Amino acid sequence: MRRKVLSTSLMILLLGTTILGCSSGDSKTGEADKGTPSGSTEATTYPIQTDKTLTYWGEINGNLIGVKNSHSEIPFFQKWQEKTGVPLKFTAPPTGQVRESFNVMLASGDLPDMLEYNFIGDFPGGPEKAINDGYILKLNDLIDQYAPNLKKYLQDNPDIDKMVKTDSGSYYVFPFIRGDEYLRVFQGPIIRKDWLDELGLPVPETIDEWTTTLRAFKEKKGASAPFSVVSKPRFFNDSGNGAFLGAFGVNRGFYQEDGKIKFGPAEEGFKEYLTLFQEWYKEGLIDKNISTADTKSVDGNLASGATGASVGNAGGGIGKWQPLVEANDPDAVLVAAPYPVLKKGDIPKFGQLNQGYASEGTVAITTAAKDPELAVRMLDYGYSEEGHMFFNFGEEGVSYNMEGDYPKFTDLLLKNPDKLAPAQAISLYARSSYNGPFVQDKRYAEQFFALQTQRDAIDVWKNTQAAKYNLPSITPTPEESSEYATIMNDINTLVDEMTIKIILGNESVDQFESYVAKMKSLHLDRAIEIQTAALERYNNR
């Protein structure tokens, strides 16, 4: 029977695509407790005394590719076992093949004790289906009895508690939580401040000011690609100038407004956005190779002075590009620009803002776990006071020292003797620069952002109304999942086609209405119905 379940589920997984994960509103395991765990919880003393070894499956962070070959070579994972007292045997999927390796593992029936995976984003049917199909455990009782640290955090933070369980109230992972709003915003427009000063221009705030600025970059600074962004994934809409969509009152996907769910690319504001970018492209204000631009070409454009504005992260954007532009022009300065608006003084409607709960880096306990209680006790360490410091800063005296009540990273991380970048060195000794089963601390980011311009960028980019309009982490039910995936795969393909053709001038912007009609024929209204029902279930959690 077990093999039959595995085989059937694998077929579903292999047929699935990168859809939003889904949660069941009518769990086969019965009605779950919708509140936080509330029983008698046993405290754990670390290190735990045990002779058992647990197995752990998870990806090695991208920062460490080429630096270390396995978890067992990484100081953080060595010390994690020492601090918790629980020996671990690690298995890691090949880089870039997480989903494929996960599917093969499920088909084999050889599951580890613990599984680090994105069950909302990458498991068709979502976490409730993963529980119902017999892959992972529902954790409600286990957290209630053996995870006092996570239990207390969820009780003290009901907004996070709502996010980390399914519609029917099932807890399914030990979550990664961004512990401060400062950590939820990290991306936005970036511009050459030295060029603006030289040209007597302000940091642009409105679309009209952006047009004036890009023209000046082209005409007076000789920039051949005044504005350039990485084109993929999701050409134009996920990368770069998705940042400009909000000026026209829409975003690149679903959002909520006036009690209704809307799909940005089907709204009139998207047509206005396409009109602007078609004009910018025709005028040479956008990189002529925008449809194929990759990270290397954008880096090269900025370094050479061909580009004066882009969109990127505080770390991987300003942090990476500042030394590149400085190498060619010692006076170069990159700063954040606010998300654009149409009317000066308005607050941007949309901007990059992640949820407090991130489904990446979360850890589930599988049905094959030899000792679920031991796994729970080990994972709960990350939410203890000691575990919080360890996950965020590593080992005191090695990777950080306390200066008063502030944990200060040592030069081993910030000025690594082996010439590792801070992101790489931090990833060796802590998990704060990516994710994991813990609550992320903003004090890591304050040091990771070594430049004042990086720290300032967060304050600039966070001034939006995104929290009001963005959808929370809602999920279709397993039954709705396949239908929703089919609809949105077709619609997203159509949106990509529309965006490319119109912006590059291969099609008139007047064709926008025909594309919207096509979206409706592909059952956009049904997708909105599914999203609306999912939002209602989320609000009732």
Side-chain angles (χ1 to χ4, degrees):
M1 179 63 181
R2 173 73 179 153
R3 288 283 177 183
K4 184 177 180 181
V5 170
L6 286 168
S7 177
T8 302
S9 296
L10 177 65
M11 289 175 64
I12 294 171
L13 281 163
L14 293 177
L15 288 170
T17 56
T18 55
I19 61 173
L20 285 172
C22 331
S23 300
S24 173
D26 53 349
S27 169
K28 296 175 185 176
T29 58
E31 180 64 20
D33 175 11
K34 296 203 175 191
T36 51
S38 58
S40 175
T41 312
E42 294 183 23
T44 298
T45 300
Y46 300 102
I48 300 168
Q49 301 301 313
T50 181
D51 58 0
K52 295 180 180 178
T53 296
L54 299 182
T55 51
Y56 189 103
W57 186 94
E59 185 180 22
I60 293 178
N61 180 254
N63 290 330
L64 297 180
I65 301 303
V67 179
K68 297 293 183 183
N69 295 317
S70 67
H71 287 89
S72 59
E73 297 177 5
I74 299 170
F76 171 86
F77 291 100
Q78 297 168 354
K79 188 61 66 171
W80 188 25
Q81 297 172 75
E82 180 183 317
K83 287 183 174 291
T84 61
V86 181
L88 297 176
K89 180 180 179 182
F90 294 98
T91 304
T95 303
Q97 298 178 38
V98 176
R99 192 176 297 117
E100 295 84 352
S101 298
F102 179 82
N103 292 348
V104 170
M105 178 177 60
L106 293 188
S108 74
D110 185 16
L111 299 177
D113 295 299
M114 291 173 282
L115 190 58
E116 187 174 313
Y117 196 67
N118 182 354
F119 284 92
I120 286 184
D122 295 335
F123 190 93
E128 197 75 68
K129 184 163 178 38
I131 293 172
N132 293 348
D133 284 354
Y135 295 123
I136 63 175
L137 295 176
K138 177 179 169 181
L139 298 175
N140 294 47
D141 290 342
L142 287 164
I143 291 173
D144 198 30
Q145 294 177 60
Y146 307 118
N149 299 305
L150 176 58
K151 174 179 171 179
K152 183 177 188 306
Y153 185 88
L154 296 178
Q155 288 175 335
D156 292 344
N157 296 273
D159 55 328
I160 298 294
D161 177 66
K162 188 175 183 178
M163 297 178 191
V164 303
K165 56 191 176 188
T166 68
D167 290 332
S168 65
S170 299
Y171 296 96
Y172 58 97
V173 286
F174 279 74
F176 171 54
I177 300 164
R178 298 182 179 95
D180 192 279
E181 185 181 354
Y182 185 86
L183 298 163
R184 296 171 60 195
V185 175
F186 46 79
Q187 184 184 86
I190 296 170
I191 197 162
R192 286 283 297 265
K193 181 67 164 57
D194 55 309
W195 285 8
L196 294 175
D197 292 344
E198 181 185 333
L199 296 167
L201 294 170
V203 174
E205 298 176 13
T206 68
I207 291 297
D208 285 346
E209 288 177 348
W210 269 96
T211 302
T212 298
T213 297
L214 295 178
R215 282 175 181 160
F217 284 0
K218 179 188 177 197
E219 296 166 3
K220 299 180 180 178
K221 295 302 301 179
S224 58
F227 178 82
S228 184
V229 289
V230 176
S231 67
K232 297 176 181 178
R234 293 295 312 283
F235 174 77
F236 275 117
N237 297 327
D238 270 355
S239 179
N241 57 43
F244 289 77
L245 275 166
F248 302 99
V250 299
N251 72 3
R252 59 181 178 250
F254 291 98
Y255 60 95
Q256 55 185 328
E257 184 175 28
D258 300 328
K260 295 182 178 180
I261 287 186
K262 297 181 177 181
F263 184 61
E267 297 292 321
E268 186 65 22
F270 203 88
K271 179 180 181 180
E272 296 171 20
Y273 150 77
L274 292 175
T275 301
L276 173 75
F277 270 80
Q278 185 184 76
E279 292 171 353
W280 279 4
Y281 186 82
K282 184 178 181 181
E283 198 175 331
L285 305 184
I286 298 177
D287 184 358
K288 66 179 184 298
N289 299 314
I290 195 69
S291 62
T292 57
D294 57 14
T295 300
K296 185 177 180 180
S297 66
V298 173
D299 291 352
N301 281 343
L302 281 155
S304 68
T307 290
S310 187
V311 175
N313 293 354
I318 294 175
K320 177 174 69 171
W321 294 332
Q322 182 62 42
L324 293 180
V325 295
E326 267 187 33
N328 187 52
D329 183 349
D331 297 323
V333 178
L334 291 169
V335 299
Y339 280 88
V341 292
L342 293 179
K343 182 181 177 183
K344 202 173 186 70
D346 284 354
I347 298 176
K349 187 172 177 179
F350 292 102
Q352 180 270 318
L353 175 67
N354 281 24
Q355 300 288 342
Y357 163 59
S359 56
E360 304 88 355
T362 59
V363 182
I365 298 172
T366 75
T367 52
K370 296 179 290 293
D371 190 339
E373 176 188 331
L374 180 62
V376 167
R377 290 185 184 278
M378 183 204 179
L379 291 170
D380 192 49
Y381 174 76
Y383 308 92
S384 68
E385 289 186 22
E386 179 185 315
H388 178 83
M389 296 301 293
F390 172 64
F391 268 81
N392 280 285
F393 305 104
E395 186 178 5
E396 186 172 6
V398 177
S399 54
Y400 79 96
N401 291 311
M402 293 302 295
E403 295 187 3
D405 61 355
Y406 197 94
K408 192 80 171 176
F409 283 135
T410 63
D411 284 350
L412 178 65
L413 272 60
L414 300 182
K415 298 178 182 177
N416 184 264
D418 296 324
K419 305 301 181 184
L420 295 177
Q424 294 174 304
I426 292 172
S427 297
L428 277 178
Y429 294 92
R431 288 199 66 163
S432 48
S433 63
Y434 53 114
N435 50 43
F438 71 106
V439 179
Q440 195 179 34
D441 192 313
K442 69 174 288 189
R443 293 175 294 181
Y444 120 79
E446 290 170 345
Q447 300 172 76
F448 179 56
F449 297 150
L451 303 173
Q452 185 62 44
T453 49
Q454 291 175 288
R455 296 189 287 272
D456 292 343
I458 306 302
D459 290 325
V460 172
W461 293 332
K462 74 179 184 182
N463 185 32
T464 72
Q465 301 179 72
K468 176 180 178 181
Y469 296 102
N470 284 358
L471 291 175
S473 298
I474 61 175
T475 52
T477 66
E479 293 75 21
E480 295 165 339
S481 174
S482 179
E483 179 186 10
Y484 180 80
T486 300
I487 292 171
M488 291 314 301
N489 285 340
D490 290 343
I491 288 177
N492 286 332
T493 299
L494 182 68
V495 170
D496 290 346
E497 176 189 336
M498 170 182 75
T499 305
I500 293 169
K501 287 184 175 179
I502 292 178
I503 289 180
L504 299 187
N506 297 328
E507 227 169 56
S508 168
V509 75
D510 293 335
Q511 292 298 310
F512 175 77
E513 282 74 16
S514 67
Y515 277 104
V516 174
K518 180 67 172 175
M519 290 181 214
K520 291 186 178 295
S521 74
L522 293 171
H523 308 296
L524 173 61
D525 289 344
R526 174 58 182 153
I528 291 175
E529 282 180 12
I530 291 173
Q531 290 287 81
T532 301
L535 179 60
E536 184 176 345
R537 288 193 302 272
Y538 178 88
N539 290 334
N540 289 330
R541 287 182 185 178

